[in-house]
Amino acid sequence: MVEEIQKTIDTEEEYTINMGPQHPSTHGVLRFVVSLKGELVKNVQPHCGYIHRGIEKMCEKITYPQIIHLTDRMDYLSAHINNAAVCLTVENALEIEMPERVKYIRTIIEELSRIASHQLWWCAFGMDLGGLTCFFYGLRDREKILDIFEESTGGRLIQSYNCPGGLMNDIHPNFQQKVKDFIKYFRKVLPEYDQLLTGNVIFQERAKKVGYISKEEAINFGLTGPSGRGSGFACDVRKRAPYHMYGKVDFKEVLYTEGDTLARYKVRIDEMWESMKIIEQLIDNIPAGDYAVKMKPIIKLPEGEYFQRVESARGEFDVFIISDGNKNPYRIKFRSPNLVNLTAINAMSKDHKIADLVAISGSLDLVIPCMDR
Amino acid sequence: MNIIGYITDIFKGVISLLKGMKVTGSYFFRPWTVVTQKYPENRKKLEMYERMKGEIVMPHNAKNEHKCTGCGICELNCPNGSIEIITFQLVSEDGKKKRAIDKHIYRIGMCTFCGLCVKTCPSKALSFAPNFEHAVFSRERLTKILNKEGSVLEKGVEG
């Protein structure tokens, strides 16, 4: 009897197993229902919603300044970018021009949080594939950015530093010097990342030609951010629709055409170099001026629909607000890059080994709270 | 040809592993690069940044006076109802009625540290304090009363 069942499992029929909701490599509560044939993955069915908090619905009850702190709790690794997206939408709706100083500071902190996010991704990705050393080295460098954040904004992971009309408070006097010190330090340390992991033969074997997705498919699935750019899809919102200071600084859009896990890895490593380049151009020229525009105590958007795209660390993050003229939005919708990137996982992992599924989901850099909202 | 390729692959792999071990090895012989802190032991030497959002406090001066007029703007702005203000009518010597706070209740268990109460307070009565050790044994102790016993409104602060 047992032998018979064993025979059908091994030869003809697929069998399904659960990966998650509590699995170390999903970095949150995400459940994959995986259909396997032997060790080969035939179908992956992601089930999300385990930490659905109804943030979009909550936003309909609260005022615009209060929405900011909820967006922190979605994609917590690029919290500042999410904040800035909502603030930009509100500011564009009210047609307020921000002071140059605000734009400079927002851009610098956005790039710093992009580096911090990629660092944490690098640690976790290395750890998923069996390199525990990466985890310590990445967190060590990320700590320096978090210290910079804490000194100026008061928060380490979630800062709530933006508010409609500018910033909560001015930057700390030490901010510029500390950022310069960090860039100097990180330019020395980042090549170590390559020596540790990129060239490693075990990592290369596990990442090369795993999870291939072509450019056409990437566009069809709507992959954005480093995941889309690894397939050659030029989708950087900072280049396509510049906001803040991105139109005026010189940086390169990182593109790789291989479309596999290694390409997505390399995009993120190169993006850290580009982010440092952006910060170096801005950090010395922060203009003097106000850190915030005086706003009315109760912000009311005029009736209409407002939309803003920004590039978060994981891809395109969009905010869409419908206002009926009240102090709280009629409807607010966030386009999370994570949820859209997740849809491609079935196409990517077809006919790969189950161990490669960990590498593929890691290379997409999924943040689950942003997916479920 | 295949065998030669196989052997060169092995050597290339070993070299790549050695490269990584060179990085970790160099840190092994540089103990001054260690950044780990021993937390509970170094409690006395810990210095937090002054802007750190640890908890919300109401600063009192030496004469036990605070700046809170009880206007309720922080309560209005709080997104999750962690602030509650109980006021009463204070009759001054010349018979004028004035609002004063009885209790400024702050529930740290519900607070998300968005900073809106500190930012919007018109008399700058609230501020953040860099205290981060909030673990307590009962849930009731997470509800704090920010104004001290017997404290009054500072002179010169308009209500």
Side-chain angles (χ1 to χ4, degrees):
Chain A
M1 184 67 185
V2 177
E3 278 168 9
E4 259 176 44
I5 293 168
Q6 196 70 40
K7 230 175 195 175
T8 53
I9 286 172
D10 286 348
T11 53
E12 280 129 37
E13 280 181 36
E14 296 170 0
Y15 67 104
T16 52
I17 60 159
N18 257 321
M19 194 170 134
Q22 293 293 339
H23 191 275
S25 80
T26 54
H27 308 295
V29 274
L30 175 66
R31 175 174 158 224
F32 292 125
V33 176
V34 191
S35 296
L36 292 173
K37 194 167 191 181
E39 214 184 342
L40 296 178
V41 176
K42 290 291 168 193
N43 191 21
V44 184
Q45 205 80 55
H47 287 237
C48 40
Y50 283 88
I51 37 173
H52 176 67
R53 292 150 293 175
I55 284 183
E56 284 172 5
K57 194 71 190 166
M58 278 156 84
C59 289
E60 292 170 15
K61 287 272 154 56
I62 54 180
T63 61
Y64 290 104
Q66 290 173 347
I67 288 174
I68 309 296
H69 91 287
L70 280 179
T71 57
D72 275 343
R73 270 99 186 150
M74 300 196 312
D75 189 348
Y76 48 81
L77 290 178
S78 46
H80 185 87
I81 305 175
N82 297 354
N83 290 349
V86 179
C87 290
L88 268 175
T89 323
V90 173
E91 283 151 14
N92 289 347
L94 294 171
E95 290 170 356
I96 302 169
E97 183 63 30
M98 283 298 102
E100 285 288 290
R101 187 177 176 82
V102 175
K103 287 184 188 171
Y104 269 76
I105 296 170
R106 275 185 185 173
T107 315
I108 291 167
I109 297 191
E110 262 167 42
E111 288 310 308
L112 279 176
S113 54
R114 195 183 312 278
I115 295 177
S117 167
H118 285 341
Q119 277 169 343
L120 188 75
W121 165 82
W122 182 80
C123 335
F125 189 52
M127 198 176 66
D128 285 347
L129 299 182
L132 191 65
T133 322
C134 309
F135 195 74
F136 299 123
Y137 284 28
L139 281 188
R140 176 197 63 190
D141 304 333
R142 183 167 171 267
E143 188 69 19
K144 292 194 190 296
I145 297 187
L146 297 190
D147 276 345
I148 295 171
F149 283 164
E150 194 182 359
E151 194 168 33
S152 274
T153 68
R156 290 167 66 78
L157 188 65
I158 31 187
Q159 298 109 18
S160 301
Y161 191 43
N162 283 315
C163 59
L167 307 166
M168 290 294 243
N169 41 27
D170 208 355
I171 49 170
H172 197 271
N174 293 344
F175 179 79
Q176 275 165 302
Q177 188 54 44
K178 276 206 165 181
V179 172
K180 273 187 254 180
D181 287 349
F182 168 74
I183 299 279
K184 207 174 144 199
Y185 164 82
F186 197 52
R187 276 195 183 278
K188 230 166 33 192
V189 169
L190 193 49
E192 275 182 10
Y193 286 26
D194 285 338
Q195 289 167 19
L196 257 180
L197 196 62
T198 316
N200 190 302
V201 62
I202 304 165
F203 174 76
Q204 290 265 345
E205 289 288 310
R206 290 203 60 183
K208 221 178 229 172
K209 288 178 185 156
V210 168
Y212 171 76
I213 190 153
S214 66
K215 188 180 173 182
E216 285 73 29
E217 268 183 307
I219 294 172
N220 282 347
F221 278 116
L223 285 188
T224 46
S227 316
R229 266 166 270 157
S231 304
F233 173 30
C235 54
D236 199 331
V237 182
R238 295 176 291 171
K239 279 273 186 213
R240 307 290 142 227
Y243 55 99
H244 290 162
M245 291 306 295
Y246 290 118
K248 288 167 193 164
V249 290
D250 166 47
F251 70 102
K252 205 175 87 223
E253 184 176 9
V254 185
L255 280 181
Y256 279 84
T257 47
E258 286 90 345
D260 57 358
T261 303
L262 191 66
R264 292 191 279 278
Y265 171 91
K266 280 180 176 167
V267 169
R268 291 199 172 88
I269 294 281
D270 287 359
E271 266 194 11
M272 288 200 251
W273 288 107
E274 293 302 317
S275 293
M276 282 196 281
K277 225 164 89 185
I278 295 174
I279 295 168
E280 274 179 338
Q281 289 170 44
L282 297 177
I283 190 71
D284 280 323
N285 325 318
I286 299 179
D290 291 334
Y291 62 84
V293 178
K294 189 96 179 124
M295 299 284 277
K296 284 178 193 159
I298 293 171
I299 299 170
K300 284 182 182 175
L301 293 201
E303 216 174 307
E305 299 174 357
Y306 308 100
F307 180 65
Q308 176 67 42
R309 313 162 67 190
V310 298
E311 178 81 12
S312 90
R314 260 148 287 279
E316 184 177 330
F317 180 83
D318 297 348
V319 181
F320 181 60
I321 296 178
I322 301 178
S323 169
D324 54 356
N326 276 333
K327 62 177 180 177
N328 32 21
Y330 176 74
R331 172 83 170 90
I332 189 161
K333 161 82 184 150
F334 301 113
R335 184 230 190 238
S336 135
N338 297 287
L339 183 65
V340 183
N341 289 357
L342 177 73
T343 54
I345 199 163
N346 194 8
M348 280 180 184
S349 56
K350 200 147 249 176
D351 291 326
H352 281 298
K353 298 265 163 46
I354 181 141
D356 292 335
L357 185 59
V358 173
I360 293 164
S361 76
S363 75
L364 288 174
D365 193 10
L366 304 169
V367 168
I368 318 298
C370 186
M371 215 181 276
D372 294 341
R373 292 195 287 278
Chain B
M1 192 59 210
N2 253 343
I3 296 238
I4 294 167
Y6 182 70
I7 291 169
T8 47
D9 270 2
I10 288 176
F11 272 102
K12 270 183 193 164
V14 170
I15 287 166
S16 81
L17 291 181
L18 285 177
K19 256 188 196 166
M21 282 162 88
K22 200 181 124 197
V23 176
T24 48
S26 79
Y27 279 106
F28 187 71
F29 289 107
R30 281 186 287 161
W32 58 89
T33 53
V34 171
V35 291
T36 319
Q37 295 180 15
K38 290 184 177 170
Y39 160 57
E41 285 90 350
N42 69 351
R43 228 180 218 162
K44 277 174 193 157
K45 283 185 280 174
L46 264 185
E47 268 186 39
M48 308 313 293
Y49 295 109
E50 55 186 23
R51 286 186 191 172
M52 183 195 159
K53 292 175 184 170
E55 62 173 341
I56 291 164
V57 291
M58 189 184 283
H60 288 59
N61 65 6
K63 285 186 267 174
N64 202 14
E65 291 172 337
H66 58 74
K67 287 180 188 165
C68 180
T69 58
C71 62
I73 285 179
C74 52
E75 191 181 346
L76 214 74
N77 269 299
C78 184
N80 36 33
S82 51
I83 293 177
E84 193 183 327
I85 299 171
I86 299 169
T87 56
F88 68 101
Q89 291 292 330
L90 190 75
V91 184
S92 60
E93 288 156 7
D94 48 338
K96 270 186 187 169
K97 276 184 183 174
K98 213 179 167 190
R99 185 181 52 204
I101 54 164
D102 184 23
K103 277 174 186 168
H104 189 290
I105 300 169
Y106 167 53
R107 301 186 185 91
I108 196 170
M110 289 158 81
C111 183
T112 49
F113 303 99
C114 61
L116 284 175
C117 49
V118 177
K119 185 180 170 252
T120 52
C121 182
S123 54
K124 303 265 177 286
L126 297 173
S127 70
F128 279 114
N131 171 28
F132 60 93
E133 288 165 330
H134 297 307
V136 285
F137 282 104
S138 70
R139 199 177 288 174
E140 289 76 45
R141 286 173 64 188
L142 289 173
T143 304
K144 294 177 179 178
I145 294 166
L146 293 186
N147 54 326
K148 285 180 191 162
E149 198 123 320
S151 61
V152 287
L153 182 67
E154 201 176 303
K155 264 183 194 150
V157 179
E158 285 299 309

